[in-house]
Each structure stands twice: as structure tokens, then as C-alpha cells.
Amino acid sequence: MPAIGRDDVARLADLARIQLSDDEITRFAGEFDAIMDAVASVSEVAAQDVPATSHPIPLTNVFREDVVTETLTQEEALAGAPAAEDGRFAVPQILGEE
């Protein structure tokens, strides 16, 4: 992979509207090179027969099974409401519409 030099870092900072000092540009150029080397080493190891993964450890669903059960009737749901109108919850008007 090509190295990322000071000019590249300065250009990226300019595009991102980030003001960097000369010392920061030099430091970031070195850090970007280290990152690029790490990506290159991973790319060398990755083979076509290795499936892409998002986690190194298999994940399992920790949620309970979705089971259909009895639900509240409309009257039961509205029984605890502070206000109801025409079988619906009544809430304060906020948009100025009828």
C-alpha cells in the first residue's frame, strides 16, 4: 500500500476543515502509515475461503421466544388513561390542526 505522507495529511485536514500544526501533520503521517501497514497485514491473511464476520465470537439471541398471548381490549387499554375520546387516547393538541 502506498505510504501516506505529510502532503496527504495536510490535504485531508484541509478537506475536513481541520487546522493542524506541522508537528501534528508529521505525527499523523506516521500514525496513518502504521494503520495502513496493519490493514495490509490483515489483507494478506484474509483468504477467499474465510467468511466475513462482524464479531470474532458467535452471538446468540438472548431474547425470549415471541409468543402470541391474550391482549388488552380497547376498553381495558383506555381504562387507565387520563382522557379518552371516541375510543382513543385524548392528548393535548400541539400542531394547531383540527
Side-chain angles (χ1 to χ4, degrees), residues 1-2 6-8 16 21 28-29 34 41 49 51 55 58 60 64 68 70-71 74 76-77 79 82 85-86:
M1 287 191 164
R6 289 180 42 81
D7 292 339
D8 297 319
S21 68
F28 288 141
S41 66
D49 61 335
H55 299 284
T60 57
R64 65 171 172 75
V68 177
E70 292 285 328
T71 60
Q74 185 179 22
E76 291 171 331
E85 185 177 307
D86 296 327

mmCIF file of all heavy atoms in Angstrom, residues 1-2 6-8 16 21 28-29 34 41 49 51 55 58 60 64 68 70-71 74 76-77 79 82 85-86:
data_model
loop_
_atom_site.group_PDB
_atom_site.id
_atom_site.type_symbol
_atom_site.label_atom_id
_atom_site.label_comp_id
_atom_site.label_asym_id
_atom_site.label_seq_id
_atom_site.Cartn_x
_atom_site.Cartn_y
_atom_site.Cartn_z
ATOM 1 N N MET A 1 0.851 -1.176 0.000
ATOM 2 C CA MET A 1 0.000 0.000 0.000
ATOM 3 C C MET A 1 0.898 1.240 0.000
ATOM 4 O O MET A 1 1.914 1.259 0.674
ATOM 5 C CB MET A 1 -0.913 0.026 1.220
ATOM 6 C CG MET A 1 -2.033 -0.971 1.177
ATOM 7 S SD MET A 1 -3.211 -0.634 2.493
ATOM 8 C CE MET A 1 -4.547 -1.594 1.871
ATOM 9 N N PRO A 2 0.461 2.251 -0.704
ATOM 10 C CA PRO A 2 1.271 3.464 -0.730
ATOM 11 C C PRO A 2 1.277 4.158 0.634
ATOM 12 O O PRO A 2 0.304 4.110 1.378
ATOM 13 C CB PRO A 2 0.592 4.336 -1.788
ATOM 14 C CG PRO A 2 -0.790 3.805 -1.913
ATOM 15 C CD PRO A 2 -0.720 2.355 -1.549
ATOM 16 N N ARG A 6 3.173 13.623 4.466
ATOM 17 C CA ARG A 6 2.764 14.890 5.072
ATOM 18 C C ARG A 6 1.799 15.655 4.168
ATOM 19 O O ARG A 6 0.835 16.241 4.638
ATOM 20 C CB ARG A 6 3.988 15.751 5.371
ATOM 21 C CG ARG A 6 4.855 15.247 6.506
ATOM 22 C CD ARG A 6 6.067 16.156 6.740
ATOM 23 N NE ARG A 6 5.772 17.585 6.674
ATOM 24 C CZ ARG A 6 5.248 18.305 7.669
ATOM 25 N NH1 ARG A 6 4.958 17.715 8.811
ATOM 26 N NH2 ARG A 6 5.015 19.594 7.523
ATOM 27 N N ASP A 7 2.069 15.640 2.859
ATOM 28 C CA ASP A 7 1.203 16.362 1.925
ATOM 29 C C ASP A 7 -0.215 15.780 1.924
ATOM 30 O O ASP A 7 -1.194 16.520 1.847
ATOM 31 C CB ASP A 7 1.780 16.320 0.510
ATOM 32 C CG ASP A 7 3.067 17.126 0.383
ATOM 33 O OD1 ASP A 7 3.293 18.012 1.240
ATOM 34 O OD2 ASP A 7 3.835 16.868 -0.557
ATOM 35 N N ASP A 8 -0.293 14.439 2.007
ATOM 36 C CA ASP A 8 -1.607 13.790 2.038
ATOM 37 C C ASP A 8 -2.379 14.164 3.306
ATOM 38 O O ASP A 8 -3.585 14.440 3.256
ATOM 39 C CB ASP A 8 -1.452 12.270 1.962
ATOM 40 C CG ASP A 8 -0.815 11.820 0.669
ATOM 41 O OD1 ASP A 8 -1.153 12.384 -0.390
ATOM 42 O OD2 ASP A 8 0.031 10.910 0.718
ATOM 43 N N ALA A 16 -11.200 18.410 5.408
ATOM 44 C CA ALA A 16 -12.056 18.245 6.586
ATOM 45 C C ALA A 16 -12.180 19.534 7.397
ATOM 46 O O ALA A 16 -12.859 19.550 8.421
ATOM 47 C CB ALA A 16 -11.505 17.128 7.476
ATOM 48 N N SER A 21 -1.119 21.652 13.219
ATOM 49 C CA SER A 21 0.230 22.235 13.261
ATOM 50 C C SER A 21 1.176 21.320 12.477
ATOM 51 O O SER A 21 0.835 20.186 12.133
ATOM 52 C CB SER A 21 0.695 22.363 14.711
ATOM 53 O OG SER A 21 0.905 21.075 15.269
ATOM 54 N N PHE A 28 0.629 12.539 12.542
ATOM 55 C CA PHE A 28 -0.464 11.825 11.890
ATOM 56 C C PHE A 28 0.013 11.055 10.665
ATOM 57 O O PHE A 28 -0.508 9.974 10.378
ATOM 58 C CB PHE A 28 -1.599 12.770 11.520
ATOM 59 C CG PHE A 28 -2.389 13.268 12.702
ATOM 60 C CD1 PHE A 28 -2.836 14.579 12.743
ATOM 61 C CD2 PHE A 28 -2.687 12.444 13.769
ATOM 62 C CE1 PHE A 28 -3.564 15.047 13.825
ATOM 63 C CE2 PHE A 28 -3.410 12.895 14.854
ATOM 64 C CZ PHE A 28 -3.843 14.209 14.882
ATOM 65 N N ALA A 29 0.966 11.571 9.939
ATOM 66 C CA ALA A 29 1.507 10.853 8.779
ATOM 67 C C ALA A 29 2.088 9.520 9.230
ATOM 68 O O ALA A 29 1.856 8.477 8.603
ATOM 69 C CB ALA A 29 2.551 11.688 8.060
ATOM 70 N N ALA A 34 1.205 3.499 10.025
ATOM 71 C CA ALA A 34 1.052 2.319 10.885
ATOM 72 C C ALA A 34 -0.312 1.674 10.659
ATOM 73 O O ALA A 34 -0.429 0.438 10.610
ATOM 74 C CB ALA A 34 1.223 2.718 12.350
ATOM 75 N N SER A 41 -1.469 -6.026 6.469
ATOM 76 C CA SER A 41 -1.168 -7.343 7.044
ATOM 77 C C SER A 41 -2.427 -8.182 7.213
ATOM 78 O O SER A 41 -2.417 -9.394 7.003
ATOM 79 C CB SER A 41 -0.419 -7.203 8.371
ATOM 80 O OG SER A 41 -1.245 -6.616 9.338
ATOM 81 N N ASP A 49 -11.664 -18.280 1.288
ATOM 82 C CA ASP A 49 -12.486 -19.284 1.959
ATOM 83 C C ASP A 49 -12.861 -18.895 3.393
ATOM 84 O O ASP A 49 -13.547 -19.638 4.075
ATOM 85 C CB ASP A 49 -11.787 -20.639 1.947
ATOM 86 C CG ASP A 49 -10.449 -20.607 2.677
ATOM 87 O OD1 ASP A 49 -9.854 -19.521 2.777
ATOM 88 O OD2 ASP A 49 -10.009 -21.680 3.137
ATOM 89 N N PRO A 51 -15.066 -16.651 5.671
ATOM 90 C CA PRO A 51 -16.228 -15.763 5.557
ATOM 91 C C PRO A 51 -16.023 -14.478 6.361
ATOM 92 O O PRO A 51 -15.371 -14.479 7.401
ATOM 93 C CB PRO A 51 -17.377 -16.591 6.133
ATOM 94 C CG PRO A 51 -16.716 -17.559 7.055
ATOM 95 C CD PRO A 51 -15.366 -17.842 6.463
ATOM 96 N N HIS A 55 -18.208 -10.215 14.261
ATOM 97 C CA HIS A 55 -17.773 -10.485 15.626
ATOM 98 C C HIS A 55 -16.900 -11.734 15.627
ATOM 99 O O HIS A 55 -17.199 -12.710 14.937
ATOM 100 C CB HIS A 55 -18.970 -10.727 16.554
ATOM 101 C CG HIS A 55 -19.891 -9.559 16.656
ATOM 102 N ND1 HIS A 55 -19.595 -8.449 17.404
ATOM 103 C CD2 HIS A 55 -21.092 -9.305 16.085
ATOM 104 C CE1 HIS A 55 -20.577 -7.577 17.301
ATOM 105 N NE2 HIS A 55 -21.493 -8.072 16.503
ATOM 106 N N PRO A 58 -19.205 -16.143 18.129
ATOM 107 C CA PRO A 58 -20.597 -16.273 17.677
ATOM 108 C C PRO A 58 -21.563 -15.685 18.711
ATOM 109 O O PRO A 58 -21.408 -15.874 19.906
ATOM 110 C CB PRO A 58 -20.802 -17.783 17.549
ATOM 111 C CG PRO A 58 -19.439 -18.366 17.504
ATOM 112 C CD PRO A 58 -18.535 -17.426 18.227
ATOM 113 N N THR A 60 -25.524 -15.186 20.171
ATOM 114 C CA THR A 60 -26.820 -15.853 20.211
ATOM 115 C C THR A 60 -27.859 -14.859 20.689
ATOM 116 O O THR A 60 -27.555 -13.921 21.438
ATOM 117 C CB THR A 60 -26.806 -17.062 21.168
ATOM 118 O OG1 THR A 60 -26.416 -16.611 22.470
ATOM 119 C CG2 THR A 60 -25.848 -18.135 20.690
ATOM 120 N N ARG A 64 -36.430 -13.696 24.659
ATOM 121 C CA ARG A 64 -37.358 -14.814 24.790
ATOM 122 C C ARG A 64 -38.056 -15.055 23.459
ATOM 123 O O ARG A 64 -38.070 -14.200 22.591
ATOM 124 C CB ARG A 64 -38.387 -14.523 25.884
ATOM 125 C CG ARG A 64 -39.308 -13.352 25.563
ATOM 126 C CD ARG A 64 -40.445 -13.228 26.569
ATOM 127 N NE ARG A 64 -41.210 -12.032 26.387
ATOM 128 C CZ ARG A 64 -42.105 -11.824 25.414
ATOM 129 N NH1 ARG A 64 -42.340 -12.760 24.527
ATOM 130 N NH2 ARG A 64 -42.760 -10.690 25.313
ATOM 131 N N VAL A 68 -47.595 -15.428 20.986
ATOM 132 C CA VAL A 68 -48.844 -14.672 20.963
ATOM 133 C C VAL A 68 -49.653 -15.036 22.199
ATOM 134 O O VAL A 68 -49.861 -16.207 22.503
ATOM 135 C CB VAL A 68 -49.642 -14.979 19.679
ATOM 136 C CG1 VAL A 68 -50.966 -14.241 19.692
ATOM 137 C CG2 VAL A 68 -48.823 -14.631 18.451
ATOM 138 N N GLU A 70 -52.923 -13.369 25.084
ATOM 139 C CA GLU A 70 -54.095 -12.501 25.175
ATOM 140 C C GLU A 70 -53.639 -11.046 25.220
ATOM 141 O O GLU A 70 -52.629 -10.722 25.837
ATOM 142 C CB GLU A 70 -54.892 -12.817 26.443
ATOM 143 C CG GLU A 70 -55.559 -14.170 26.443
ATOM 144 C CD GLU A 70 -56.791 -14.195 25.557
ATOM 145 O OE1 GLU A 70 -57.472 -13.161 25.440
ATOM 146 O OE2 GLU A 70 -57.053 -15.261 24.980
ATOM 147 N N THR A 71 -54.380 -10.175 24.574
ATOM 148 C CA THR A 71 -54.077 -8.746 24.599
ATOM 149 C C THR A 71 -55.202 -7.998 25.283
ATOM 150 O O THR A 71 -56.280 -8.552 25.531
ATOM 151 C CB THR A 71 -53.908 -8.195 23.165
ATOM 152 O OG1 THR A 71 -55.120 -8.415 22.448
ATOM 153 C CG2 THR A 71 -52.764 -8.879 22.452
ATOM 154 N N GLN A 74 -59.886 -2.809 23.878
ATOM 155 C CA GLN A 74 -59.826 -1.356 23.767
ATOM 156 C C GLN A 74 -60.262 -0.698 25.077
ATOM 157 O O GLN A 74 -59.630 0.248 25.544
ATOM 158 C CB GLN A 74 -60.707 -0.893 22.620
ATOM 159 C CG GLN A 74 -60.632 0.582 22.344
ATOM 160 C CD GLN A 74 -61.508 0.982 21.164
ATOM 161 O OE1 GLN A 74 -62.451 0.288 20.805
ATOM 162 N NE2 GLN A 74 -61.199 2.113 20.570
ATOM 163 N N GLU A 76 -60.112 -1.988 28.122
ATOM 164 C CA GLU A 76 -59.104 -2.211 29.162
ATOM 165 C C GLU A 76 -57.913 -1.268 28.978
ATOM 166 O O GLU A 76 -57.366 -0.746 29.950
ATOM 167 C CB GLU A 76 -58.633 -3.661 29.135
ATOM 168 C CG GLU A 76 -59.677 -4.662 29.588
ATOM 169 C CD GLU A 76 -59.254 -6.102 29.347
ATOM 170 O OE1 GLU A 76 -58.472 -6.355 28.397
ATOM 171 O OE2 GLU A 76 -59.710 -6.976 30.108
ATOM 172 N N ALA A 77 -57.509 -1.058 27.729
ATOM 173 C CA ALA A 77 -56.375 -0.180 27.462
ATOM 174 C C ALA A 77 -56.700 1.258 27.837
ATOM 175 O O ALA A 77 -55.857 1.984 28.370
ATOM 176 C CB ALA A 77 -55.974 -0.266 25.987
ATOM 177 N N ALA A 79 -58.894 2.215 30.076
ATOM 178 C CA ALA A 79 -59.382 2.330 31.451
ATOM 179 C C ALA A 79 -58.459 3.182 32.322
ATOM 180 O O ALA A 79 -58.927 3.923 33.189
ATOM 181 C CB ALA A 79 -59.561 0.948 32.071
ATOM 182 N N PRO A 82 -55.809 9.068 31.316
ATOM 183 C CA PRO A 82 -56.359 10.279 31.939
ATOM 184 C C PRO A 82 -57.525 10.850 31.144
ATOM 185 O O PRO A 82 -58.445 11.430 31.726
ATOM 186 C CB PRO A 82 -55.198 11.273 31.940
ATOM 187 C CG PRO A 82 -54.033 10.588 31.346
ATOM 188 C CD PRO A 82 -54.424 9.226 30.933
ATOM 189 N N GLU A 85 -61.335 9.693 24.069
ATOM 190 C CA GLU A 85 -62.388 10.272 23.238
ATOM 191 C C GLU A 85 -62.570 9.402 22.007
ATOM 192 O O GLU A 85 -61.599 9.099 21.311
ATOM 193 C CB GLU A 85 -61.986 11.692 22.829
ATOM 194 C CG GLU A 85 -63.041 12.446 22.068
ATOM 195 C CD GLU A 85 -62.574 13.860 21.768
ATOM 196 O OE1 GLU A 85 -62.176 14.568 22.710
ATOM 197 O OE2 GLU A 85 -62.598 14.228 20.584
ATOM 198 N N ASP A 86 -63.777 8.977 21.747
ATOM 199 C CA ASP A 86 -64.111 8.145 20.588
ATOM 200 C C ASP A 86 -63.260 6.872 20.526
ATOM 201 O O ASP A 86 -62.787 6.470 19.461
ATOM 202 C CB ASP A 86 -63.945 8.925 19.279
ATOM 203 C CG ASP A 86 -64.918 10.094 19.178
ATOM 204 O OD1 ASP A 86 -66.044 9.968 19.707
ATOM 205 O OD2 ASP A 86 -64.545 11.116 18.576
#
